[in-house]
Amino acid sequence: MCHGNPPLMPLLETLIEHHLLGFHVRGEGSQKEMLKCFGLLLLLVLLVCSSLDGCEGRKGKHWRRQPPSSSLARKKTRGKSGGGHNHGGGGGSGGHTSPPPSSNQSPCPVTGSPNAPKPAIFDVLDFGAKGDGVTDDTKAFEDAWAAACKVEGSTVVVPAEFEFLVGPISFSGPYCQPNIAFQLDGMIIAPTDAKDWSVGLLWWIEFTKLRGIAIRGSGTIEGRGSVWWTNTNSDPINDELSLRPPQMKPTALRFYGSYNVTVTGITIQNSPQCHLKFDNCEAVQVFNVTIASPGSSPNTDGIHLQNSRDVMIHHTNMSCGDDCVSIQTGCSNVNIHSVDCGPGHGISIGGLGRDNTKACVSNITVRDVNMHNTMTGVRIKTWQGGSGSAQSIRFSNIRVTEVQTPIVIDQFYCDKSSCKNQTSAVALSGIAYENIKGTYTVKPVHFACSDTSPCSDISLTGVELKPLQEQYHMYQPFCWQTFGELYTPTIPPIVCLQDGKPAGNRILSDRDVC
């Protein structure tokens, strides 16, 4: 039956009824004439149906059509096509061409575009990388990045089951297209030969001045930092680094001056110094990441934030030889939650105000964190002589296990044998401690605030800290120039906290205001 233009059907029915009525009236027409008329009517019906628009007919509710190809077939075609591994920015060669459309394929437009451009993928193996863990693959990584840099939404692939020896390298903008992905499924290992490292180099792998950069996958960045941590004369790197201060050791993975940065899924381990650093970045996400180095490895911070804002760190495991997360000056709107820390030094804000500098930190939230076998839990540390402020800080739902000192404010921080006494200090205010519970091994709380700029608006709620064992060297809570309020009783009682606000608050100068 033709499911075409509805207004034509009444016309055909009228014609058929007219002819049947005519034969009935005559009563004794010729049999041949009747067959001839029906034949003409049948021909007319066929002509009318064939003139209808086929596309409209296919829109009827009885129309059934198989899709042009299955999703599995499309995936296979994409994987084998030249565009799937387009390493020159142009069309690939040697790929399979699409089959011509079948003769019974509908000429009507369909939703979706089967000829949409496929994502550009740049595999480092196609640029000459060996992945044997011995050959220097730095040039192949540079070339793969140079090609991907020209294509928006491209992907650099570091495939699984390969070890790539890569020296210091910078994946740089600012002229790269946005939204580039770095798919790390294999392992990248650092060189241990001193000739591969220039003196004073601050990073090993760097991504700089990019808009939309994602490092993702299940692979590993292996810093082989043990050669930097030990002090043996037989170590080729330490022979060169013997006169270099510890802070000059390179960070494993650094992001600088970038917007919309994501790091997820990967493992960063055994960095010479800090594992993951964000400097002058905005809109940062770190999740499902593992950071690992021995608790004895010096200065191996897990994640270091500096001059960065709108940062989210969550569902990440960190074990290292320094702060699991270090938040430095210039940071704001930082949210850390659902992380595991230990061993290490806990989560720290600071040290702020080093070398008489101005520090500004605000809107920091640390919540739902487990800490075990760390030196401190949640800590704020500032140097004497600094200026600026750290405010609007919240530590909530922190579980500590065998932590030396779970809660710390130290405005007399010094990482040397002695530091000069100075009167000015970074102002600390609006700091909330909520539901901090667990066991400690040295002291539950240590608040050491500045004489000239006391800590103000410090609040404690639901703090329950118990000694791991009742030993003679356990210390009671300590407070100095610390003002605030206890909203609930604490365990142990923190009677040293002074109620209200400090008397005679000094007027902040332009040097202090952030």
Side-chain angles (χ1 to χ4, degrees), residues 171-189:
F171 300 106
S172 301
Y175 303 110
C176 287
Q177 295 296 314
N179 303 323
I180 299 176
F182 195 92
Q183 183 71 33
L184 174 59
D185 292 316
M187 177 178 285
I188 301 176
I189 61 176

Side-chain angles (χ1 to χ4, degrees), residues 3 55-64:
H3 298 277
C55 292
E56 293 295 326
R58 289 182 184 125
K59 291 179 182 177
K61 63 181 180 179
H62 299 290
W63 177 253
R64 296 289 186 269

Side-chain angles (χ1 to χ4, degrees), residues 466-486:
K466 299 179 181 180
L468 182 64
Q469 295 179 1
E470 293 292 345
Q471 297 176 346
Y472 70 95
H473 63 273
M474 292 292 181
Y475 294 93
Q476 294 300 312
F478 173 83
C479 307
W480 179 261
Q481 295 286 46
T482 310
F483 293 81
E485 186 172 357
L486 298 176

Side-chain angles (χ1 to χ4, degrees), residues 4 11 66 83 154 163 232 330 385 454 463 494 506:
L11 176 61
Q66 293 294 330
S154 60
E163 290 187 6
T232 58
V463 173
I494 305 176
R506 63 187 179 90

